[in-house]
Amino acid sequence: MSAGPRRVPWLVALPGVLFLLAFHIVPTIVGGRYAFTDWNGIDQAHGVGLGNFREIFRDPVTEHSLWNTLKFAGVFFVAVNAIGLALALALRRTLKSRSVLRALFFAPVVISPLAVGFLWRYIADAEGGFNDVLGKLGLASWEHAWTGDPKWAMWTIVVVLVWQYSGLTMVIYLAGLEGISDELIEAATVDGAGPWLRFRRVVLPLLAPAITVAATISLIFGLRLFDQILSVTGGGPANATETLATQVYTQTFVNGRFGYGAALALVLTVLIAALSIVQMVVLRLRERAM
């Protein structure tokens, strides 16, 4: 009699587990195997050992893509968490329209990244969008080829990312703020603590679990950045916005080097896993220290 109920949770989870195995775990293992071959997607694969990985770390374009990936992830990580936390603090309880504003700020998160990219490509177009607005405001000297200039293309992508995902970190921080008792804030106020001291000594330590979640998610999003770059700049101009993720796509589906693309994907996977684990360990230790 007791064996039946014990099996029910496993039976409920079984379809999801099978789906995960079929469409995630198995393809990852197979892709990892092809990373050590010269497979072109058609002919029979031949083993090349670590040849693909040696080429990755000798290729200047791939090296540039790696640095771009780290720069994108770093800037995005800082900006999206700072803005998301600021929005959460501003929209916690003070404004009457906070529910509407929360929905507006979160709305971009649910839009397809490709759709967002195409929208912003029009906005940043050299002959329309934002430049037209500047011209009509008498600021024609500020007009610029935002996606055509290597110096500005990366920052344009960062603006797109921050616009789309600040609402996600905002929601995470709002959930964390809801768990902080008002009595603690009031007690700190009675003791003479100002807004900054209350935030630093009361709110921030209690917000540590939410910070861990938001920081981990934003780091992963930044490292695997692909859709927005593909739709806004395509990795250009002059590889200025090329990342490891876009390199995986280019080498695999444009150049037909499936083995090399699989090796790039494996390097990106290891990079994301390593940095995420290190960050989570550091943040968890920080939570305990607080």
Side-chain angles (χ1 to χ4, degrees), residues 113-127:
L114 282 175
V116 169
F118 286 124
L119 170 66
W120 276 90
R121 186 172 71 177
Y122 169 76
I123 293 174
D125 190 273
E127 298 179 357

Side-chain angles (χ1 to χ4, degrees), residues 10-27:
W10 289 104
L11 292 175
V12 172
L14 185 61
V17 172
L18 292 176
F19 186 87
L20 181 67
L21 286 171
F23 295 98
H24 186 74
I25 304 299
V26 172

Side-chain angles (χ1 to χ4, degrees), residues 72 145-158 232-233 236-237 240-241:
F72 270 125
W146 305 105
T147 59
D149 187 337
K151 295 180 181 179
W152 287 97
M154 176 177 288
W155 294 106
T156 303
I157 297 294
V158 170
V232 177
T233 64
T241 57

